[in-house]
Amino acid sequence: MIGPGTGVRVYLACGATDMRKGIAGLSALAQDVLRQKPASGAVFAFRGRKGDRLKLLYWDGQGFCLYYKVLERGRFPWPNTEAGVARLTSAQLAMLWEGIDWRRPDWGAPPARVG
């Protein structure tokens, strides 16, 4: 994905977001609901009601970038929290974008020790 590098702050808007919102509407949510400056360089993630749509809003220093992904199958993993906002690492954001459950990645069992 073209976009922010590692170490970027990532904020998830918990709950469902109206996916008809564009840059202006999502910026307003970042400011009013998430209590963050939209042009701070952080990534703001929003998920639709059915869970199959994800929008990322990011200020790259020159303007806003809006990334939009719709899954053909499945749903994007999303936290159940009353706080309204969750923080992710850039690695967790990469997993989220690929549809991987960043809360419980399946790294497999450690190799058996022989000896």
Side-chain angles (χ1 to χ4, degrees):
M1 175 176 85
I2 299 171
T6 60
V8 69
R9 293 178 326 278
V10 181
Y11 298 94
L12 267 64
C14 299
T17 299
D18 183 352
M19 288 288 106
R20 295 174 294 181
K21 291 187 183 299
I23 290 172
L26 295 175
S27 293
L29 285 177
Q31 185 168 332
D32 299 338
V33 176
L34 303 180
R35 304 281 185 224
Q36 300 294 322
K37 289 179 61 177
S40 67
V43 174
F44 301 96
F46 306 91
R47 189 180 81 156
R49 181 180 46 82
K50 293 193 301 185
D52 64 340
R53 297 163 196 274
L54 182 70
K55 284 189 177 182
L56 303 179
L57 181 68
Y58 171 66
W59 174 263
D60 71 356
Q62 295 179 325
F64 281 105
C65 301
L66 183 62
Y67 302 92
Y68 185 42
K69 186 167 186 174
V70 179
L71 292 177
E72 291 291 319
R73 292 185 328 232
R75 298 166 49 118
F76 287 103
W78 216 246
N80 292 326
T81 179
E82 299 298 321
V85 64
R87 290 280 312 263
L88 265 64
T89 65
S90 54
Q92 289 171 321
L93 174 63
M95 287 189 281
L96 172 65
W97 188 254
E98 294 301 324
I100 299 168
D101 192 343
W102 50 271
R103 299 166 299 182
R104 296 181 313 260
D106 183 12
W107 301 116
R113 296 183 78 186
V114 178

